[in-house]
Amino acid sequence: QVQLVESGGGLVQAGGSLRLSCAASGRALSSYRMDWFRQAPGKEREFVAARWSSGSTSYADSVKGRFTISRDNAKNTVYLEMNSLKPEDTAVYYCAARRLATGAYDYWGQGTQVTVSS
């Protein structure tokens, strides 16, 4: 069984930065694509960023140029560096592991709250 644990959330002023971490335990995630999602109050969960083991990345248009996803396979940890934060980035941020073979999201973290004040 894999556990994903997010950390690094908090309260920041608009224009500030935060770095989220997602530590995986239980097994290596080399056969998974690692994603970040977020869910704002009253809204559906939305895709934020993804990173393959190869280093390829994908971003939602709303965060391109401001957020950077990275992963340290040796530490089994994925990061989301968030810069130039806006109030509309306020949400609970979740990491997820997507099995490459099936496309299914096998594992989710519990989420970490990010609040951006104006």
Side-chain angles (χ1 to χ4, degrees):
Q1 187 67 18
V2 173
Q3 278 194 320
L4 301 179
V5 179
E6 300 99 334
S7 61
L11 173 64
V12 64
Q13 287 188 330
S17 300
L18 281 175
R19 187 196 197 202
L20 306 182
S21 299
C22 172
S25 61
R27 62 174 290 179
L29 296 175
S30 56
S31 58
Y32 290 85
R33 189 184 87 177
M34 297 303 297
D35 291 14
W36 285 96
F37 284 78
R38 66 187 182 186
Q39 187 166 20
K43 295 187 177 181
E44 292 190 355
R45 190 171 297 189
E46 65 174 359
F47 169 79
V48 174
R51 188 177 178 100
W52 286 258
S53 294
S54 64
S56 298
T57 57
S58 177
Y59 296 93
D61 287 343
S62 58
V63 307
K64 274 181 186 175
R66 300 187 298 122
F67 290 12
T68 302
I69 186 171
S70 61
R71 63 192 284 176
D72 185 333
N73 289 328
K75 294 183 178 180
N76 235 15
T77 300
V78 180
Y79 305 96
L80 185 67
E81 185 76 33
M82 305 185 295
N83 298 312
S84 302
L85 283 162
K86 305 175 181 180
E88 51 264 42
D89 294 318
T90 295
V92 178
Y93 283 70
Y94 301 89
C95 67
R98 182 176 181 179
R99 188 187 295 261
L100 295 174
T102 64
Y105 286 95
D106 285 355
Y107 307 107
W108 289 85
Q110 83 290 347
T112 185
Q113 176 71 46
V114 171
T115 303
V116 184
S117 64
S118 57

